[in-house]
Amino acid sequence: MSVNDEILERLKKIATPTLANALDDVGFNGVMNNLAPAGFGMKVVGRAITVQETTGPFGSFSSDDFKVGHMIDAANPGDVIVVANNGAQVSTWGGMASYAAKLKGVGGLVVDGGIRDREEIIEFSFPAFSKHMVPTPGKTRIKVLSINDPIICAGVRVRKGDIIVADGTGVLCIPIEHAENITEASEKFSADDRKAMEEMDAGLTFTNALKKFSKI
């Protein structure tokens, strides 16, 4: 089962708060809290490539355990690499990885942990979202345990192929099986928002708009 490209294109027009309303309606806790973009205006919508990491003190693992290249190799153009590292304040990813991923056409990155090289990430226009921005290297501190197994990232279950949407407000995951109905519901909410603003322009109070359009 996979989500077709037409759904992805429609999701690119919808903000995460609107999608979060629809996720509530299907009962899926898809919002990854406390993750922020590396730069202003970053947004990405794409299929998830999942990575599970573990972190220890410097020298805990070999350099070969870091495997950032393996993450990039596993991703197809447009995919979003999603890394679960339990919020560790150690860098999983930096500027050179962003450059390589951008060249390959990878859509973006989400890390429940740290990344670094903010300026280079912005320069390369690579959408990257993380819990921390830190200079601390991941080499010999981080070990990749698996790629494309189910993970829990910032409290949310993510599987390969689930849809990741990230923007200036936050990051969320849409399960494959709910992608179509979440998209349809969110489009309706967006249309209601536009109608509510039109009616407020015509004199409707915000209180009455809230009553009329309950998902504002």
Side-chain angles (χ1 to χ4, degrees):
M1 185 178 184
S2 64
V3 177
N4 66 46
D5 291 343
E6 186 258 343
I7 292 291
L8 295 182
E9 288 302 313
R10 289 161 64 187
L11 286 170
K12 289 177 182 178
K13 302 174 184 177
I14 305 172
T16 54
T18 304
L19 293 166
N21 287 339
L23 285 169
D24 274 352
D25 288 348
V26 300
F28 182 76
N29 174 30
V31 176
M32 301 180 197
N33 289 320
N34 301 314
L35 302 183
F40 181 77
M42 290 184 171
K43 179 167 184 174
V44 64
V45 176
R47 301 175 182 89
I49 295 296
T50 59
V51 179
Q52 180 66 57
E53 293 181 335
T54 189
T55 296
F58 179 73
S60 295
F61 310 108
S62 74
S63 296
D64 291 341
D65 289 327
F66 196 29
K67 296 184 179 178
V68 177
H70 291 67
M71 301 180 201
I72 297 170
D73 291 344
N76 292 315
D79 287 347
V80 179
I81 299 171
V82 184
V83 182
N85 196 19
N86 198 34
Q89 296 186 52
V90 177
S91 176
T92 285
W93 187 279
M96 290 299 293
S98 297
Y99 187 75
K102 183 76 173 183
L103 282 178
K104 189 177 180 183
V106 175
L109 173 79
V110 172
V111 180
D112 182 13
I115 62 175
R116 62 182 186 168
D117 299 327
R118 185 195 304 272
E119 291 82 6
E120 289 185 347
I121 291 171
I122 292 170
E123 178 185 350
F124 303 146
S125 299
F126 182 72
F129 299 75
S130 67
K131 185 160 287 186
H132 308 291
M133 183 67 70
V134 294
T136 309
K139 192 174 292 185
T140 81
R141 290 184 174 92
I142 289 177
K143 179 177 182 177
V144 171
L145 299 177
S146 68
I147 295 177
N148 281 335
D149 288 339
I151 61 172
I152 301 296
C153 183
V156 175
R157 182 200 72 194
V158 185
R159 304 160 302 178
K160 178 184 178 182
D162 284 341
I163 304 306
I164 303 299
V165 182
D167 59 19
T169 299
V171 182
L172 54 78
C173 173
I174 303 172
I176 298 171
E177 60 271 24
H178 292 305
E180 187 167 357
N181 59 320
I182 290 292
T183 302
E184 290 175 356
S186 298
E187 288 172 337
K188 182 181 183 303
F189 296 154
S190 293
D192 285 348
D193 287 350
R194 290 191 293 272
K195 290 176 185 175
M197 287 186 284
E198 289 172 1
E199 294 198 22
M200 284 190 286
D201 285 342
L204 185 71
T205 67
F206 183 62
T207 299
N208 287 332
L210 285 176
K211 291 177 182 177
K212 187 170 183 179
F213 302 97
S214 61
K215 291 295 182 180
I216 292 176

